[in-house]
């Protein structure tokens, strides 16, 4: 009888340990970087050593809910949501109306996420290591993908986010391809012209000038996640 009780206790403990590990990982506490809430009026940054590098050296995923309460705030300027790359001081104010000027001053972004100066389009930007030295052949990078853009060594994709509506955005990269999901539905597929150039810099959130709104349940995952996991995050 005592032996059966011991076995039962061991089984219960094992189940609790497995459940705890699952909760730990699924809530962004394993390899993930997790933020429950990031308000746009509270700039913050996370040190590179707090962020696990992509397991294969290139590919990773991001998932978050975003609520845009007022995109008119800081109208005409590119509004900073986050970027991992160029170092910033707390006193730095990013006042850019021109995208080329922005990426000239901030050429290291992987990723960078910005809101368009005059709309609720989000721009996802990535520093790319070109596979071809002929980087000025713009037509090569637009066909057959009309959403594909090139600006120096920064490539980007734009995606429209509803105004005043909690929206889930997720993306992952795999084999030089970017997959973007909106509310759990595949929205865009985008082929890079080379590998992403990852960096060892900090990640910055809501550096002025930013927008009025918030990020919720932000996850950075150092490997590509699948559609099933994206659906789980989007609920």
């Amino acid at each position: 009888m005592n032996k059966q009780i011991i076995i039962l206790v061991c089984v219960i403990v094992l189940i609790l340990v497995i459940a705890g590990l699952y909760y730990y990982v699924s809530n962004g506490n394993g390899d993930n970087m997790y933020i429950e809430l990031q308000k746009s009026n509270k700039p913050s940054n996370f040190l590179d050593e707090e962020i696990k590098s992509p397991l294969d050296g290139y590919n990773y995923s991001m998932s978050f809910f975003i609520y845009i309460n007022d995109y008119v705030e800081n109208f005409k300027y590119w509004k900073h949501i986050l970027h991992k790359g160029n170092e910033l001081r707390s006193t730095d104010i990013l006042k850019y109306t021109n995208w080329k000027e922005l990426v000239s001053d901030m050429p290291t972004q992987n990723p960078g996420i910005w809101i368009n100066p005059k709309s609720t389009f989000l721009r996802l930007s990535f520093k790319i290591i070109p596979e071809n030295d002929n980087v000025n052949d713009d037509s090569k990078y637009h066909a057959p993908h009309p959403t594909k853009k090139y600006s120096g060594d920064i490539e980007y994709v734009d995606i429209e986010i509803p105004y005043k509506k909690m929206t889930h955005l997720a993306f992952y990269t795999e084999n030089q391809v970017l997959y973007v999901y909106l509310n759990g539905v595949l929205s865009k597929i985008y082929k890079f012209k080379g590998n992403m150039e990852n960096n060892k810099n900090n990640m910055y959130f809501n550096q002025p000038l930013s927008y009025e709104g918030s990020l919720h349940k932000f996850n950075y995952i150092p490997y590509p996640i699948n559609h099933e996991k994206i659906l789980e995050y989007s609920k």
Side-chain angles (χ1 to χ4, degrees):
M1 183 69 177
N2 290 338
K3 185 177 180 180
Q4 290 178 333
I5 292 175
I6 292 172
I7 293 174
L8 179 62
V9 169
C10 290
V11 169
I12 292 173
V13 170
L14 181 61
I15 291 173
L16 290 174
V17 169
I18 293 173
L21 287 172
Y22 175 80
Y23 178 84
Y24 184 78
V25 172
S26 65
N27 282 275
N29 297 311
D31 288 336
N32 299 16
M33 169 188 168
Y34 180 75
I35 304 171
E36 181 67 27
L37 173 63
Q38 173 64 42
K39 294 183 178 180
S40 60
N41 62 351
K42 294 185 177 181
S44 64
N45 68 82
F46 291 80
L47 301 178
D48 177 67
E49 50 263 35
E50 300 177 272
I51 307 168
K52 188 162 185 177
S53 298
L55 299 185
D56 65 0
Y58 298 103
N59 298 299
Y60 61 90
S61 310
M62 276 192 181
S63 165
F64 55 85
F65 288 89
I66 182 169
Y67 184 83
I68 301 176
N69 187 54
D70 183 5
Y71 75 91
V72 178
E73 181 168 321
N74 297 321
F75 193 74
K76 84 176 183 178
Y77 295 106
W78 283 96
K79 291 169 275 290
H80 182 264
I81 295 179
L82 69 89
H83 85 281
K84 187 177 189 300
N86 289 96
E87 300 293 329
L88 297 173
R89 298 166 298 184
S90 59
T91 55
D92 287 338
I93 297 178
L94 310 178
K95 298 183 70 172
Y96 294 100
T97 58
N98 183 279
W99 178 252
K100 288 185 178 180
E101 181 183 354
L102 188 159
V103 297
S104 176
D105 289 350
M106 298 180 63
T108 303
Q109 301 182 39
N110 192 10
I113 304 181
W114 306 78
I115 295 182
N116 188 282
K118 299 179 181 179
S119 72
T120 59
F121 274 89
L122 258 61
R123 176 159 292 183
L124 312 178
S125 56
F126 304 85
K127 179 70 177 290
I128 302 299
I129 304 170
E131 288 188 338
N132 192 319
D133 290 335
N134 188 20
V135 297
N136 294 317
D137 181 10
D138 189 66
S139 62
K140 177 180 178 180
Y141 306 125
H142 283 266
H145 304 285
T147 62
K148 193 172 185 181
K149 307 292 182 183
Y150 179 74
S151 182
D153 287 328
I154 295 284
E155 290 193 55
Y156 61 84
V157 166
D158 292 329
I159 185 164
E160 188 173 16
I161 301 297
Y163 183 45
K164 289 185 179 292
K165 182 178 180 180
M166 190 70 77
T167 303
H168 183 259
L169 178 72
F171 68 83
Y172 67 88
T173 61
E174 190 171 37
N175 299 322
Q176 299 183 0
V177 178
L178 172 68
Y179 300 86
V180 184
Y181 290 77
L182 201 61
N183 294 321
V185 178
L186 182 61
S187 178
K188 288 187 178 180
I189 300 176
Y190 169 60
K191 179 70 170 65
F192 294 124
K193 64 179 181 62
N195 286 316
M196 292 186 299
E197 185 178 80
N198 288 305
N199 61 77
K200 293 294 184 180
N201 297 334
N202 299 340
M203 185 178 292
Y204 297 84
F205 290 81
N206 304 117
Q207 186 80 10
L209 301 169
S210 194
Y211 69 116
E212 184 183 328
S214 53
L215 297 182
H216 302 257
K217 297 184 177 180
F218 174 90
N219 273 285
Y220 162 83
I221 308 102
Y223 51 84
I225 57 177
N226 57 30
H227 186 212
E228 182 179 355
K229 191 66 176 178
I230 290 172
L231 287 174
E232 179 183 325
Y233 280 139
S234 68
K235 295 177 180 178

